[in-house]
Every structure is written in structure tokens, then in C-alpha cells.
Amino acid sequence: MEIEIIAKAFKELGHPTRLAIFKRLVKAGEQGIAVGVVQEELNIPGSTLSHHISSLASAGLIKQRREGRTLFCVAEYELLLSVVSFLQDECCADDK
């Protein structure tokens, strides 16, 4: 995976509110969670939540889907695993 993609993901996850949102989406699993539920649970104003969700989506960390009038967000687990693997793959490489 390109280092620029990993760096963008780390940058977006480096904000406490975005990290809290992403953590909640990861917990929700593959079905995702309604934006309204995230807003309620994390007590984040709608415009602020929208801004942070947009940042996470632009980094490829989440995807969105609409069901009727409800917007759902889902964590992009493949990118999450790539970010974790990026660091894990280097673990103790100099010791070998």
C-alpha cells in the first residue's frame, strides 16, 4: 500500500473526535450504523459530525449508504487492516 494513503489515514485518525467516530463504526460491524445514532451516542453537533465523517470518507476509512432517509456509515475494514499491517510488517525487521 502506498505510504501516502497510510499517512492520510493516520492524519484523519489523529483527531480525537474522528478517532471516536471511527472506533464506533468499527464496533458497529459490517452493517454499519446510522449517522443519527453516532451523533446521539457521541453527543456531537450535526454539522461537526458531518465534517468529520467527510474527512474519514475522503481518506477511504469509511463508506456511506442511504436507506430511505437514513444515512449509514460503515468502516472500511480492508484499509484499516492495511494501516495496521503497514506498521506490523516492519516489527523487528532489523533484528532478522
Side-chain angles (χ1 to χ4, degrees), residues 62-80:
I62 67 170
K63 60 185 173 187
Q64 298 175 302
R65 76 172 188 285
R66 187 166 291 282
E67 291 182 13
R69 298 178 74 190
T70 305
L71 182 62
F72 287 83
C73 292
V74 182
E76 285 285 4
Y77 294 98
E78 188 173 320
L79 181 58
L80 172 60

Side-chain angles (χ1 to χ4, degrees), residues 40-59:
E40 198 173 286
E41 288 182 4
L42 299 180
N43 196 27
I44 301 171
S47 60
T48 302
L49 179 61
S50 178
H51 165 75
H52 290 304
I53 286 175
S54 177
S55 294
L56 292 168
S58 75

Side-chain angles (χ1 to χ4, degrees):
M1 174 143 297
E2 292 183 34
I3 198 163
E4 291 82 13
I5 294 169
I6 300 295
K8 173 89 169 147
F10 276 125
K11 175 185 176 255
E12 298 307 333
L13 292 173
H15 189 282
T17 302
R18 284 193 287 274
L19 185 57
I21 293 166
F22 189 69
K23 183 178 177 186
R24 182 59 187 96
L25 297 180
V26 168
K27 183 179 177 184
E30 294 287 341
Q31 74 279 1
I33 188 170
V35 170
V37 174
V38 174
Q39 181 181 6
E40 198 173 286
E41 288 182 4
L42 299 180
N43 196 27
I44 301 171
S47 60
T48 302
L49 179 61
S50 178
H51 165 75
H52 290 304
I53 286 175
S54 177
S55 294
L56 292 168
S58 75
L61 289 163
I62 67 170
K63 60 185 173 187
Q64 298 175 302
R65 76 172 188 285
R66 187 166 291 282
E67 291 182 13
R69 298 178 74 190
T70 305
L71 182 62
F72 287 83
C73 292
V74 182
E76 285 285 4
Y77 294 98
E78 188 173 320
L79 181 58
L80 172 60
L81 293 174
S82 294
V83 169
V84 171
S85 292
F86 175 78
L87 294 177
Q88 213 170 23
D89 290 348
E90 298 298 317
C91 180
C92 307
D94 287 347
D95 289 346
K96 297 176 185 175

